[in-house]
């Protein structure tokens, strides 16, 4: 590990680690959380509300979910070089649709969604533990194309029923020798 850090704006939206490889190559792994869009009144203890207050205090008249995308693009653009491969594990709180902001984000970062690329075809649904009838996918693994080309195996882990939550882990086996 040659570098690690968090969201430089201080909102706790992402953290990252950079692994140094041979010949100047590196792997940047980012874990990110984007607050969901709120319709109606968001409580004072929600992450959305807290981020909205901070943005307003900084004079930024922008919704937190839009600020996430704007800030991540700015930060990412400064972190990535031609010798950087990337994996962004993202709780997007948005479905992957033709015109979604998350799909646009992936395009702007030149990343591909593991769920729709590479023929892995998972997850078809993303049932929520707290609400088993929910059939939306809001978690994504965005990867640089070379990462996708060198995945040997990828799968979702079963729900940990001892922990309430609406996320499942993704296991990825990469052939690092080819990267």
């Amino acid at each position: 590990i040659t570098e690690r850090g968090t969201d430089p704006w201080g909102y706790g939206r992402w953290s990252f680690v950079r692994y140094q490889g041979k010949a100047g190559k590196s792997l940047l792994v980012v874990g990110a959380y984007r607050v969901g869009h709120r319709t109606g009144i968001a409580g004072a203890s929600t992450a959305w509300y807290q981020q909205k207050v901070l943005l307003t205090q900084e004079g930024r008249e922008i919704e937190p979910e839009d600020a996430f995308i704007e800030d991540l693009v700015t930060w990412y653009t400064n972190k990535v070089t031609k010798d950087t491969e990337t994996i962004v594990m993202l709780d997007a709180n948005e479905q992957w649709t033709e015109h979604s902001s998350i799909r646009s984000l992936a395009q702007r970062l030149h990343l591909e969604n593991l769920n729709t690329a590479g023929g892995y075809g998972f997850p078809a649904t993303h049932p929520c533990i707290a609400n088993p009838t929910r059939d939306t996918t809001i978690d994504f693994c965005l990867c640089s194309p070379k990462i996708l080309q060198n995945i040997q195996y990828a799968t979702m882990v079963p729900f940990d029923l001892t922990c309430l939550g609406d996320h499942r882990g993704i296991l990825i086996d990469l052939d690092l020798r080819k990267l």
Side-chain angles (χ1 to χ4, degrees):
I1 297 176
T2 59
E3 182 183 17
R4 68 179 72 205
T6 60
D7 170 4
W9 284 267
Y11 299 150
R13 300 172 294 183
W14 64 83
S15 60
F16 72 95
V17 64
R18 183 185 301 272
Y19 298 94
Q20 192 60 49
K22 295 180 182 178
K25 305 280 186 193
S26 69
L27 172 62
L28 181 67
V29 180
V30 181
Y33 169 73
R34 176 180 176 237
V35 295
H37 178 69
R38 298 290 181 219
T39 56
I41 299 172
S45 63
T46 64
W48 185 94
Y49 184 82
Q50 292 166 2
Q51 288 182 19
K52 183 65 173 176
V53 168
L54 291 170
L55 289 163
T56 302
Q57 287 174 346
E58 293 175 2
R60 295 179 70 189
E61 294 301 321
I62 186 172
E63 296 299 310
E65 54 272 28
D66 297 329
F68 170 87
I69 290 177
E70 181 180 295
D71 295 347
L72 184 62
V73 168
T74 298
W75 173 83
Y76 182 89
T77 302
N78 291 320
K79 281 286 177 200
V80 173
T81 70
K82 64 177 181 59
D83 292 324
T84 306
E85 299 303 331
T86 309
I87 299 172
V88 177
M89 302 297 295
L90 176 60
D91 175 356
N93 280 308
E94 180 181 27
Q95 294 185 56
W96 185 273
T97 62
E98 186 178 347
H99 300 291
S100 68
S101 59
I102 293 306
R103 189 173 188 150
S104 174
L105 171 69
Q107 291 168 345
R108 290 173 67 186
L109 300 180
H110 307 287
L111 300 176
E112 296 179 39
N113 180 7
L114 176 63
N115 298 340
T116 58
Y120 297 101
F122 71 86
T125 63
H126 179 93
C128 173
I129 292 172
N131 181 1
T133 63
R134 188 167 131 190
D135 64 353
T136 58
T137 301
I138 58 171
D139 297 333
F140 302 99
C141 181
L142 306 179
C143 306
S144 53
K146 195 166 184 182
I147 292 289
L148 286 176
Q149 293 167 7
N150 290 289
I151 292 176
Q152 300 297 301
Y153 176 77
T155 191
M156 294 184 77
V157 298
F159 283 119
D160 178 359
L161 297 179
T162 63
C163 175
L164 293 178
D166 61 350
H167 306 283
R168 295 174 68 181
I170 298 175
L171 299 174
I172 301 172
D173 186 4
L174 287 170
D175 187 343
L176 293 176
R177 295 170 295 168
K178 292 181 181 176
L179 283 176

